C-alpha cells in the first residue's frame, strides 16, 4: 500500500524505488541545523512518509536549499544512491535553473557573474571577490526575464529606484558551480540583491513581500538507475508574479 504525502510545505513531484523529488515551500529547512533539533524539516517529513510505507525504509539527502528558498529537491532512498549522486552531481545534472526577483533594473540583461567566494563559518556569511583571493571559484549565468519599473508601484520611488514600491527584475539563473549562498552573494555583489534577503540584501526594508524571492525552478539530471534524462519543474511563486504585474 502506498501512502500519500500530504504536507502544506512539501509536495511530491516524483517517486520511484530509487529517488524522491519534491517541491519545498519557503520558510522550511531541508535538514536540521544541528543534532538533537526537534523542528520539523523536509527530511523529517520524508522520513515519516517512508517509514509509513515500511519501518525499514530510509531517506538520504542529496543536496539542500536554504530555509527561505523554495523549489525542487531530490532525495535518495538508499545510501548507495546518495553516494553516487553526490559524487557525480556535476556530471549527471544537465540543467539547474533558479529564478530570483532582484532589486532594481540591471544594465546588462544577460551575462555571467564570475567571482571567488570565501565562507566565514564562524559568522555564517560568505564573501565575494572579483579576483582569486584563495576562495572557491563561483560562476553563475543570468538572463533578465521581466522588468518592473518603479513607476508601476509608486509615484515616489526612492532615489535608487528600489525599495518598497521600487523597481524589480525577474532573473533566470543557471549555475555552473554550486557554492554556499552563491546566487545571493553574487547578485548582491553586482548591486542587485535578491528581494527580501536579510543577510546579503536589505531584507524586508526593500521588500513588499515577506520572503526571500529565490526559487529553484528546474532540476534536470540523468537518472542513475535508468540512465534517462528526467526533468522536474516548479512554477514561479505567485508572490514574484504579483510584483511584476
Amino acid at each position: 500500500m502506498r501512502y500519500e504525502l500530504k504536507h502544506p510545505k512539501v509536495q511530491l513531484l516524483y517517486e520511484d524505488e530509487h529517488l524522491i523529488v519534491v517541491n519545498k515551500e519557503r520558510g522550511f529547512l531541508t535538514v536540521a541545523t544541528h543534532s538533537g533539533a526537534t523542528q520539523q524539516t523536509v527530511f523529517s517529513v520524508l522520513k515519516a512518509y517512508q517509514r509509513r510505507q515500511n519501518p525499514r525504509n530510509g531517506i538520504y539527502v542529496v543536496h539542500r536549499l536554504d530555509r527561505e528558498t523554495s523549489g525542487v529537491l531530490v532525495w535518495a532512498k538508499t545510501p548507495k544512491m546518495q553516494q553516487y549522486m553526490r559524487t557525480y552531481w556535476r556530471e549527471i545534472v544537465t540543467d539547474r535553473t533558479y529564478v530570483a526577483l532582484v532589486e532594481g533594473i540591471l544594465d546588462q540583461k544577460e551575462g555571467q557573474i564570475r567571482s571567488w567566494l570565501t565562507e566565514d563559518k564562524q559568522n555564517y556569511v560568505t564573501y565575494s571577490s572579483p579576483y582569486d583571493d584563495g576562495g572557491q571559484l563561483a560562476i553563475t549565468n543570468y538572463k533578465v526575464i521581466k522588468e518592473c519599473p518603479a513607476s508601476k508601484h509608486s509615484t515616489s520611488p526612492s532615489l535608487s529606484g528600489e525599495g518598497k514600491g521600487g523597481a524589480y527584475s525577474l532573473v533566470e539563473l543557471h549555475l555552473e558551480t554550486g557554492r554556499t549562498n552563491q546566487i545571493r552573494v553574487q547578485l548582491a555583489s553586482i548591486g542587485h540583491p535578491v528581494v527580501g534577503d536579510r543577510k546579503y540584501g536589505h531584507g524586508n526594508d526593500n521588500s513588499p513581500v515577506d520572503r526571500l524571492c529565490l526559487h529553484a525552478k528546474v532540476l534536470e539530471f540523468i537518472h542513475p538507475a535508468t540512465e534517462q534524462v528526467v526533468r522536474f519543474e516548479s512554477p514561479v511563486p505567485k508572490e514574484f508574479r504579483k510584483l511584476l504585474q
Side-chain angles (χ1 to χ4, degrees):
M1 177 180 178
R2 176 146 333 251
Y3 291 84
E4 285 188 61
L5 175 60
K6 294 182 178 180
H7 193 279
K9 290 187 175 292
V10 184
Q11 297 89 43
L12 183 67
L13 300 179
Y14 173 84
E15 181 179 5
D16 63 21
E17 60 184 303
H18 309 284
L19 304 171
I20 291 180
V21 183
V22 300
N23 178 65
K24 179 185 89 71
E25 299 292 338
R26 61 100 172 181
F28 206 54
L29 283 170
T30 302
V31 297
T33 53
H34 58 274
S35 60
T38 58
Q39 76 265 49
Q40 197 174 52
T41 62
V42 180
F43 173 79
S44 66
V45 169
L46 292 181
K47 182 179 178 181
Y49 169 70
Q50 280 286 85
R51 293 289 170 84
R52 286 199 300 272
Q53 319 287 346
N54 187 322
R56 294 175 295 179
N57 286 352
I59 193 74
Y60 304 89
V61 62
V62 174
H63 66 120
R64 307 182 188 194
L65 294 176
D66 293 338
R67 180 201 294 265
E68 296 305 319
T69 302
S70 54
V72 183
L73 273 171
V74 60
W75 298 76
K77 286 189 172 183
T78 65
K80 184 177 179 180
M81 182 61 68
Q82 177 196 43
Q83 182 179 6
Y84 181 91
M85 294 198 73
R86 284 184 161 185
T87 301
Y88 297 104
W89 183 252
R90 292 188 64 180
E91 287 79 11
I92 65 175
V93 173
T94 52
D95 188 3
R96 193 178 181 191
T97 301
Y98 286 75
V99 288
L101 193 66
V102 304
E103 297 180 13
I105 303 298
L106 282 72
D107 293 331
Q108 292 187 327
K109 307 310 177 186
E110 187 171 353
Q112 183 182 90
I113 308 172
R114 184 184 181 94
S115 66
W116 283 261
L117 305 185
T118 302
E119 185 180 0
D120 182 344
K121 294 185 178 181
Q122 183 175 355
N123 295 306
Y124 303 102
V125 68
T126 300
Y127 299 97
S128 175
S129 171
Y131 57 87
D132 187 352
D133 60 352
Q136 291 184 308
L137 176 63
I139 303 172
T140 302
N141 299 302
Y142 71 88
K143 181 179 181 180
V144 176
I145 302 302
K146 191 172 182 179
E147 298 174 338
C148 185
S151 59
K152 292 189 70 173
H153 293 287
S154 172
T155 56
S156 181
S158 61
L159 293 177
S160 64
E162 301 171 1
K164 290 184 178 180
Y168 305 100
S169 299
L170 184 66
V171 182
E172 187 175 88
L173 305 121
H174 296 269
L175 302 180
E176 289 194 21
T177 58
R179 312 303 184 195
T180 301
N181 291 337
Q182 176 174 323
I183 291 174
R184 297 166 62 186
V185 175
Q186 288 192 319
L187 286 172
S189 75
I190 64 170
H192 296 281
V194 177
V195 171
D197 194 335
R198 294 181 176 88
K199 182 179 285 189
Y200 301 105
H202 301 102
N204 287 338
D205 291 341
N206 283 17
S207 175
V209 294
D210 184 23
R211 68 159 292 174
L212 173 74
C213 292
L214 180 62
H215 180 71
K217 181 183 177 184
V218 174
L219 181 61
E220 180 183 278
F221 58 90
I222 302 170
H223 195 298
T226 67
E227 298 185 349
Q228 299 296 311
V229 175
V230 289
R231 181 181 177 89
F232 306 99
E233 187 165 350
S234 175
V236 177
K238 60 183 179 181
E239 301 99 319
F240 297 19
R241 298 195 301 269
K242 184 175 181 181
L243 271 182
L244 294 166
Q245 290 175 351

